[in-house]
Amino acid sequence: MTAEQDAELIQQILAGDREQYALLMRKYNTMLYRIGRAYGFTDADTEDIMQETFIQAYMQLHRLRRPRAFQKWLATIMVRMCYQAQHRARLTTSWEQAPASSTFTPNMENSDLKHWLEQAILQLPQAYRIVFVMKELNGYSIRQIAHITGISVINVKVRLFRARQMLRQILTQAQVTDELLAFEAPRCEALADRVMKAIRGAYQQLHV
DNA sequence: CTCTGTATCCATATAAGTCC
DNA sequence: GGACTTATATGGATACAGAG
């Protein structure tokens, strides 16, 4: 789905076809999930923040001036939500306390490899993890990351470079894949359902 | 000393303009 | 239209400075 298609969907949603929003949510669930996890939130907390983000985005959708930039806009909201959540509670998560990585075994089963790679990424300091996940897993440009996170372009570059340096020793065998830190399909559906329910509820309250 | 951010240089990719 | 050149954007890497 391209930015152009996002814009079309947004147009339909604003024209009253609210259900199209579920398509956008399914598309960007994993992207938001990765951001939430990169900020050090637990799996469950990340899901809560994603839900808030999707609802917030829906409510503000009519104010989005450039619908083609929906993805970046959504990520910006997610990052803002993460900051707010961090301020609300200084969370200490299991990730931050993740034990040192086990040694790499090339013939490891796929699921083990995935788990191991995730743990390797999660062991990066948060500042580095965020830019790394946004760049390598979510595919943002350095400029976009700078804009979304509010740090300088130069700083993004250096954090990326250092993050890669830290991971280089252990990430020689595997390519980063779409599966890494993915938001699994059943949960994606469940979250989409909850958000749509919330949106329908809010809509009904406004129009009775 | 370590960590973090900035400045700078270099390489590569892409877009735009010009010429045949 | 295709080939070539130039300008600009982007990303990678390194050196250096300041804070703690």
Side-chain angles (χ1 to χ4, degrees):
Chain A
M1 211 193 292
T2 63
E4 196 60 54
Q5 288 169 312
D6 284 357
E8 280 174 31
L9 279 176
I10 289 166
Q11 211 168 13
Q12 291 171 27
I13 294 161
L14 292 175
D17 190 358
R18 300 194 304 279
E19 302 303 316
Q20 298 297 330
Y21 193 58
L23 289 179
L24 284 177
M25 280 192 287
R26 288 189 188 96
K27 180 180 176 185
Y28 292 120
N29 259 325
T30 290
M31 180 198 81
L32 295 194
Y33 180 71
R34 286 167 172 162
I35 291 174
R37 296 299 305 265
Y39 268 90
F41 290 102
T42 63
D43 183 76
D45 287 332
T46 297
E47 203 169 324
D48 287 344
I49 297 168
M50 287 166 68
Q51 188 170 330
E52 279 181 55
T53 298
F54 278 126
I55 292 172
Q56 176 85 218
Y58 182 85
M59 296 305 177
Q60 303 292 319
L61 202 58
H62 63 283
R63 293 170 61 182
L64 177 60
R65 274 184 244 164
R66 289 169 42 238
R68 288 174 56 90
F70 176 77
Q71 182 183 354
K72 190 172 136 187
W73 180 71
L74 187 64
T76 306
I77 295 174
M78 181 69 184
V79 167
R80 201 171 64 222
M81 290 290 186
C82 287
Y83 276 128
Q84 286 172 4
Q86 277 183 334
H87 278 119
R88 277 201 300 272
R90 281 282 153 206
L91 295 172
T92 53
T93 73
S94 55
W95 297 29
E96 299 293 358
Q97 297 153 3
S101 172
S102 55
T103 52
F104 178 65
T105 311
N107 59 356
M108 213 178 252
E109 294 293 329
N110 273 350
S111 59
D112 290 339
L113 176 64
K114 177 171 170 260
H115 176 73
W116 180 83
L117 284 170
E118 286 180 353
Q119 289 305 313
I121 292 168
L122 299 182
Q123 282 169 38
L124 292 173
Q126 180 179 297
Y128 296 97
R129 189 169 63 226
I130 290 162
V131 293
F132 181 82
V133 167
M134 282 190 163
K135 182 72 169 62
E136 303 296 356
L137 273 62
N138 281 348
Y140 286 104
S141 70
I142 286 178
R143 194 170 282 274
Q144 285 174 322
I145 295 167
H147 188 259
I148 291 166
T149 59
I151 61 179
S152 70
V153 168
I154 290 168
N155 200 2
V156 173
K157 287 183 185 181
V158 171
R159 286 188 191 184
L160 259 180
F161 175 70
R162 287 173 184 160
R164 287 174 182 141
Q165 215 168 27
M166 291 175 198
L167 286 169
R168 190 161 293 145
Q169 293 171 344
I170 51 181
L171 292 182
T172 52
Q173 300 286 332
Q175 297 293 317
V176 173
T177 75
D178 288 344
E179 287 181 40
L180 285 184
L181 287 175
F183 195 61
E184 305 296 345
R187 295 179 60 204
C188 170
E189 291 300 317
L191 178 68
D193 286 347
R194 285 203 302 280
V195 172
M196 290 312 294
K197 203 174 165 184
I199 288 169
R200 286 186 207 112
Y203 185 84
Q204 276 163 12
Q205 279 190 344
L206 285 171
H207 295 83
V208 283

